[in-house]
Amino acid sequence: MKFDFKKIYVQRSIYSDFIWRSNAENIIRRFPNAEIVEVESHWKIPELFEADASDWMRTKRESLVLGIKSGLSHTKNGRSADFIATSNSNGCLSSCQYCYVARRKGASNPLTVFVNIEEIAASICRHQKNMGAKLEPNQCDEHFWTYDIGCNADLSADSFVCDNPGFLVRQFASMEFAKATFATKTVNDDYWLNIDAKGKTRIRYSLMPQHIARYVDIGTSPISERIASANKLVEAGYEVHFSFAPIIIYEGEKWKSDWHDLWTEIDDNLTDEVKRQLKCEAFFLTHSSDLHDINMQWNPKGEEFLWSPETQVPKKTQPDTLVYDYQMRRRELAEFSESLNKYLPYCPIRYSF
Ligand code: SF4
């Protein structure tokens, strides 16, 4: 992945602290041609967040924001991880068309990196110390409290821009009670293989059939590269799980045969070492009419796969989010899980919805 940011927006308060400032300068140095624009708040940059959606890719590829994460808190989760750790970045360099992060942030969801990474790591470390040892195993992990450190971003993509991801992985390597985890669609083996995670980081590669990924997973690594990377990462001391998500229903029954082909490819290519530690999560697409309107401005072809008003209904707990019809989803999820178990019997589902 190569980036040529034209503008780097820097939250002014970064200059008031020596460490924040030098972290920011380390990033800025990588992009010597970028214009530096000082801003009051990383959240209030009208020219960025109100940019025209038809300029989606340009805004994303040309703009980077450096900010300070305030309000460091870690939220209970229980699905992808025990806790969602306070963000070290938000926004993303990729452009998955269904991305819920973009749904909240608007105008192409450019990357914001938080440069107070030492404080973020120290806050997680204190939190896990307060939790003490995990006494009861759960689906998140048998031994450690798991912290999702990439809930609002793709840390493997961030690693092309800054060293926040590696810094956190190194910190987790020595935490007594905690393990890091994050989902990603970006392969950066050169970066991760130079870090000793000591088995304390679980990378969750998000996978979907390549046939659909090429229309909706814009700017991400090819599916076959993500599968090949799993072998190298496990060998290097990471745990690797798969996130089969989002599951998108398209072209009659074709989406099912595409998943079967993907599982065959996975089975043919993973080493026994990866298979032995593999688990997955699986969940169906969620969407929204606002995101649909935005998507139609920059990638209408992908939207043909995502938008299906005849089968999508408002989510009971969040009516502005659309989900597949509840009965249909229950039925399809049962069939999906059964087929998965036939193709990859060594890959239990940690959670699904
Ligand atoms: S990789 Fe994740 S955070 Fe990035 S655009 Fe895709 S879904 Fe959103």
Side-chain angles (χ1 to χ4, degrees):
M1 260 182 164
K2 209 159 166 31
F3 298 95
D4 185 20
F5 296 119
K6 293 211 165 18
K7 273 190 187 175
I8 301 181
Y9 299 85
V10 181
Q11 187 175 327
R12 200 163 286 121
S13 54
I14 285 176
Y15 294 111
S16 66
D17 180 279
F18 176 77
I19 296 176
W20 298 349
R21 184 187 188 119
S22 69
N23 287 349
E25 284 170 354
N26 283 341
I27 297 171
I28 289 169
R29 228 172 277 127
R30 297 180 182 207
F31 307 101
N33 299 324
E35 176 193 350
I36 306 302
V37 182
E38 286 188 25
V39 290
E40 220 37 66
S41 156
H42 64 83
W43 269 121
K44 292 187 191 124
I45 310 175
E47 68 178 88
L48 200 52
F49 299 142
E50 289 161 21
D52 196 330
S54 57
D55 268 349
W56 188 276
M57 296 303 282
R58 194 180 58 77
T59 310
K60 190 178 273 284
R61 293 288 158 145
E62 295 185 357
S63 320
L64 173 67
V65 182
L66 303 181
I68 299 295
K69 177 68 182 158
S70 56
L72 307 182
S73 62
H74 316 289
T75 321
K76 231 181 179 172
N77 179 257
R79 298 206 297 192
S80 63
D82 292 298
F83 299 99
I84 305 298
T86 194
S87 321
N88 59 92
S89 69
N90 72 44
C92 189
L93 297 163
S94 301
S95 291
C96 306
Q97 205 164 347
Y98 44 79
C99 180
Y100 72 90
V101 181
R103 222 176 288 170
R104 288 181 193 158
K105 199 168 164 188
S108 103
N109 186 28
L111 177 64
T112 298
V113 172
F114 297 121
V115 298
N116 53 332
I117 189 66
E118 290 82 359
E119 289 173 346
I120 290 168
S123 166
I124 300 170
C125 190
R126 276 195 304 278
H127 190 273
Q128 58 98 40
K129 271 197 179 130
N130 290 339
M131 290 301 297
K134 187 179 202 175
L135 302 176
E136 300 264 336
N138 61 11
Q139 66 81 11
C140 297
D141 196 76
E142 287 188 21
H143 306 293
F144 296 104
W145 297 114
T146 48
Y147 290 76
D148 196 323
I149 56 172
C151 194
N152 295 316
D154 183 326
L155 291 206
S156 196
D158 291 4
S159 69
F160 285 92
V161 170
C162 67
D163 191 40
N164 277 8
F167 181 84
L168 284 175
V169 167
R170 287 189 287 268
Q171 295 293 308
F172 270 92
S174 61
M175 289 188 206
E176 305 94 305
F177 310 123
K179 180 187 272 185
T181 180
F182 63 89
T184 178
K185 300 181 175 81
T186 302
V187 173
N188 191 2
D189 290 340
D190 288 346
Y191 182 80
W192 296 113
L193 297 181
N194 280 312
I195 296 169
D196 185 3
K198 298 193 191 314
K200 298 292 294 302
T201 292
R202 172 188 300 153
I203 295 180
R204 304 183 335 267
Y205 268 123
S206 298
L207 300 179
M208 68 169 65
Q210 185 64 55
H211 171 75
I212 175 81
R214 62 192 282 256
Y215 294 107
V216 300
D217 258 18
I218 313 295
T220 62
S221 302
I223 300 293
S224 56
E225 287 182 17
R226 301 182 214 174
I227 297 170
S229 169
N231 291 335
K232 295 181 207 161
L233 292 172
V234 169
E235 199 185 344
Y238 292 87
E239 192 176 36
V240 176
H241 286 183
F242 289 151
S243 180
F244 294 129
I247 304 164
I248 300 167
I249 295 176
Y250 55 85
E251 296 174 13
E253 299 283 290
K254 174 151 173 56
W255 66 278
K256 295 184 188 176
S257 61
D258 284 348
W259 277 100
H260 300 167
D261 292 347
L262 171 62
W263 293 330
T264 304
E265 182 184 349
I266 289 172
D267 189 47
D268 288 347
N269 286 284
L270 287 188
T271 62
D272 288 343
E273 194 187 359
V274 179
K275 289 178 183 176
R276 273 195 294 276
Q277 53 85 70
L278 191 63
K279 291 184 182 174
C280 71
E281 51 202 27
F283 44 91
F284 278 83
L285 174 75
T286 64
H287 202 7
S288 82
S289 51
D290 284 352
L291 188 60
H292 168 69
D293 291 343
I294 292 172
N295 287 346
M296 288 304 287
Q297 295 178 55
W298 72 277
N299 186 13
K301 180 67 199 162
E303 199 54 18
E304 288 173 19
F305 294 90
L306 304 185
W307 186 246
S308 74
E310 64 290 352
T311 56
Q312 286 166 327
V313 297
K315 191 176 175 182
K316 284 176 190 158
T317 51
Q318 248 176 304
D320 55 343
T321 297
L322 298 171
V323 295
Y324 288 123
D325 172 79
Y326 281 82
Q327 266 193 356
M328 177 179 103
R329 190 174 52 160
R330 238 190 322 274
R331 197 177 56 240
E332 296 297 356
L333 183 58
E335 191 184 322
F336 185 93
S337 309
E338 202 181 312
S339 305
L340 171 63
N341 191 39
K342 279 191 200 134
Y343 281 85
L344 306 178
Y346 44 82
C347 179
I349 297 182
R350 283 184 31 245
Y351 83 91
S352 60
F353 62 88

